[in-house]
Amino acid sequence: MTEKEKAEAGLLYDANGNPQVVQERLISQELSFDYNMLRPSQIKEREEMIRKYFAKTGKAFLIEQPFKCDFWYRVSIGENFYSNYNFVILAGNTVTFGDNVFIAPNCLFTTAEHALDAEQRNEGLEVALPITVGNNVRIG
């Protein structure tokens, strides 16, 4: 089982030393950088990036900048999704938002938890469990 498969299964995985995990995180960090460099008026380009790299999107959504995510391809957003400034997703596992979800400024969603055992933690091992936010939710 690969480290990526372990992460998606909710098992301990090497989050920092595995080349595949590190490379995929780097790709998403570059996507976040590119997204945040778009002008606020470039709404079409922003939407296109989200649609291309997220697992799923609704028709209507807006993610304000800055936005950071370490694994874009694990994120799904429903219809009429909105997130305000400084939205952060650490998606070691899937993160799913339903319809009509509104996220206030400075919110962080993290699937990852460092290992509780000190030796495992020092080896860079962590666990990632999925996050699911239902419909008609406001988080602030």
Side-chain angles (χ1 to χ4, degrees):
M1 184 176 271
T2 67
E3 297 304 304
K4 180 178 176 179
E5 291 168 335
K6 290 177 190 176
E8 292 170 350
L11 303 173
L12 280 173
Y13 70 102
D14 183 353
N16 299 304
N18 179 266
Q20 180 185 14
V21 174
V22 171
Q23 179 63 28
E24 288 185 7
R25 185 170 40 247
L26 183 61
I27 289 167
S28 283
Q29 288 171 335
E30 295 281 342
L31 289 172
S32 296
F33 179 87
D34 291 345
Y35 184 82
N36 293 321
M37 294 307 294
L38 291 171
R39 298 184 64 80
S41 60
Q42 292 179 282
I43 292 171
K44 181 181 176 189
E45 291 85 350
R46 291 165 51 193
E47 286 179 359
E48 287 172 355
M49 278 190 75
I50 298 295
R51 287 186 201 287
K52 182 175 180 178
Y53 295 106
F54 274 22
K56 175 186 167 289
T57 69
K59 292 178 185 173
F61 61 87
L62 180 60
I63 298 176
E64 299 288 6
Q65 299 151 297
F67 165 67
K68 292 185 181 176
C69 180
D70 60 353
F71 297 99
W72 282 45
Y73 66 88
R74 289 188 177 131
V75 179
S76 297
I77 57 175
E79 191 63 46
N80 198 30
F81 177 87
Y82 176 77
S83 69
N84 215 318
Y85 306 112
N86 298 315
F87 181 43
V88 178
I89 303 175
L90 301 181
N93 206 319
T94 58
V95 179
T96 305
F97 297 95
D99 296 336
N100 303 305
V101 173
F102 299 88
I103 309 295
N106 303 312
C107 286
L108 162 69
F109 291 79
T110 180
T111 65
E113 180 178 313
H114 296 284
L116 297 177
D117 178 79
E119 284 185 31
Q120 292 175 330
R121 186 172 53 251
N122 292 341
E123 292 174 19
L125 299 179
E126 62 183 47
V127 173
L129 300 175
I131 295 173
T132 301
V133 175
N135 297 328
N136 304 307
V137 177
R138 180 193 179 276
I139 297 175

